[in-house]
Amino acid sequence: MQTIASILALASTVSAIQGFNYGSTFTTGAAKQQSDFEAEFTTAQNLKGTSGWTSARLYTMVQAGTASDPISAIPAAIKTKTSLLLGLWASGGDTSFSNEILALKAAIKQYGDDFTKIVDGISVGSEDLYRNSPMGIAAGSYVGAEPSTIARYIKETKDAIAGTGLEGSPIGHVDTWTAWDNGTNKAVVDACDWIGMDAYPYFQDTMPNDISKSNSLFQEALGRTQSAAGGKSVWITETGQPVSGKTVGQSIASSDNAETFWKDVVCPIISSGANLWYYTLQDAAPDTPNPSFGIVGNKLSTTPLFDLSCDKANTGSSSAGASSTTKAPGSSTASGSGASATETSTGSTGNSGGSPGGVPSGQISSEESATVTPTAITPGATGTGSGSGSGSGSGSNGTFTAPPSATSTIPESAGAGLQSGAFVAAFAAIMVAIFAL
């Protein structure tokens, strides 16, 4: 006979979300269209050696090249049955953010329940706190946002979706683990339903970071983030190991090491039932950044560059499982993540290993440009990431500019009730187990 605990454990496993991060443009700056997103989402769902990669994390709600049109990833996700972790870009100022809200409400009105039922959650901003930190500024990052600004934007997002099909959808913020470890950002933690953590042991170059240390470095980052989260769920929104590119510290970028990272870090996360968006499916599109994190090359293929199976992986050392959550219709995230890291490393934490590109390429415009330093660092740490968090940019740093500003009035919108695919799967698993008692 199954116990209630085992039933709940089964539900947690079934409802865990797996996906990749997707930018809004190609490395050439050309905007992705619906057909491009469809091709990416379909490839992710059919990767050889693995399964379950059916979610897409977005950095912006705005279609590249427009001021406030909804991103074409939405109809692509509806068509391919891909769930979405929505992203609202939050470092462009109030006018820019109002356009993100405008695009969000327009999407609800245009696509209705077909859209709202596939939403896993909403992220307000991405690594804004890191870019706003003294270390981020000293490293040459583009302007981020104050904690009070992100907290205000979270409230504005909740107000915007009130009375729509997305009401009650869990809203959080994505940032580097060092940003969460910084107590001055507590206002954002308090405003969030969930916490999104970006962590890349590859970039932690002020301490031993050869590939064999990846799991312990990741677990320390997770433990510190969980501690800062105060019981709120921690979603792993970015992590990965490059398949090619420069050596950072002792970490060598190669397909072999990417496979080792997958076995030692990613497989335990999957086994734990945590929500995970890996970085990334493809970043060489068409140009190859340095480093490159894509598990497929510059041609979309269901045959990855390395083995993605977890049958021979080390699956016993991740504390991420307590971070997995389900979302009921009309309710916010409820489960906590009180577990601490099971493995830690000593000494300085060094470079935080934040997003390889730091900004979505969809924010590029011709009016204004700045160099992005993609990874957060702690005092005394050196080195930066490279490439692009969304598939644009190359060399030592990605570059981007603020999104086009346009004054607009946010329309009213309507929608049906929210019901995530994750919740349905979890509920079905519980009912099957109950009838088996």
Side-chain angles (χ1 to χ4, degrees), residues 120-407:
D120 294 318
I122 302 172
S123 171
V124 176
S126 179
E127 299 193 1
D128 311 86
L129 302 178
Y130 158 65
R131 292 194 306 277
N132 188 62
S133 70
M135 287 298 101
I137 295 170
S141 290
Y142 180 66
V143 65
E146 294 284 345
S148 59
T149 300
I150 298 298
R152 174 166 59 87
Y153 285 168
I154 290 173
K155 182 180 184 303
E156 290 177 8
T157 303
K158 290 182 178 180
D159 291 343
I161 63 176
T164 76
L166 285 181
E167 182 172 16
S169 185
I171 300 176
H173 171 73
V174 170
D175 228 298
T176 62
W177 66 268
T178 48
W180 294 122
D181 198 36
N182 184 340
T184 63
N185 295 321
K186 189 176 184 298
V188 179
V189 175
D190 292 342
C192 288
D193 297 323
W194 55 270
I195 304 299
M197 182 192 80
D198 294 354
Y200 292 81
Y202 167 75
F203 288 122
Q204 294 185 233
D205 60 353
T206 62
M207 59 193 307
N209 72 329
D210 65 82
I211 193 65
S212 68
K213 303 295 194 301
S214 292
N215 186 53
S216 60
L217 291 174
F218 179 86
Q219 289 300 319
E220 180 175 14
L222 177 61
R224 292 196 180 195
T225 303
Q226 288 174 329
S227 179
K232 294 187 176 182
S233 297
V234 176
W235 295 4
I236 301 164
T237 41
E238 287 186 34
T239 194
Q241 175 74 17
V243 296
S244 66
K246 64 184 179 180
T247 297
V248 177
Q250 299 171 344
S251 189
I252 299 171
S254 70
S255 294
D256 286 345
N257 277 351
E259 180 175 335
T260 298
F261 183 89
W262 188 274
K263 305 293 188 186
D264 291 354
V265 178
V266 176
C267 288
I269 295 172
I270 295 172
S271 177
S272 73
N275 293 338
L276 166 67
W277 290 267
Y278 186 82
Y279 190 86
T280 189
L281 176 68
Q282 182 187 47
D283 56 5
D287 302 320
T288 302
N290 181 3
S292 174
F293 286 75
I295 64 172
V296 300
N298 56 14
K299 299 292 185 183
L300 281 178
S301 172
T302 57
T303 301
L305 297 175
F306 56 90
D307 179 25
L308 301 181
S309 65
C310 289
D311 53 337
K312 297 180 181 178
N314 173 17
T315 59
S317 59
S318 176
S319 61
S323 303
S324 180
T325 67
T326 58
K327 180 184 64 174
S331 65
S332 297
T333 304
S335 67
S337 56
S340 60
T342 57
E343 288 188 61
T344 59
S345 53
T346 59
S348 170
T349 58
N351 192 319
S352 78
S355 171
V359 297
S361 56
Q363 309 311 311
I364 297 174
S365 71
S366 59
E367 288 88 335
E368 197 178 343
S369 64
T371 299
V372 176
T373 300
T375 58
I377 54 178
T378 54
T382 59
T384 64
S386 59
S388 169
S390 62
S392 72
S394 60
S396 62
N397 293 295
T399 61
F400 85 109
T401 55
S405 298
T407 302

Side-chain angles (χ1 to χ4, degrees), residues 20 22 36-48 50 53 80 82 281-282 295-297 299-304 308:
F20 294 99
Y22 296 88
D36 299 314
F37 284 112
E38 286 179 14
E40 291 178 325
F41 298 164
T42 301
T43 298
Q45 293 170 0
N46 293 282
L47 287 167
K48 294 179 180 178
T50 186
W53 298 91
T80 61
T82 298
L281 176 68
Q282 182 187 47
I295 64 172
V296 300
K299 299 292 185 183
L300 281 178
S301 172
T302 57
T303 301
L308 301 181

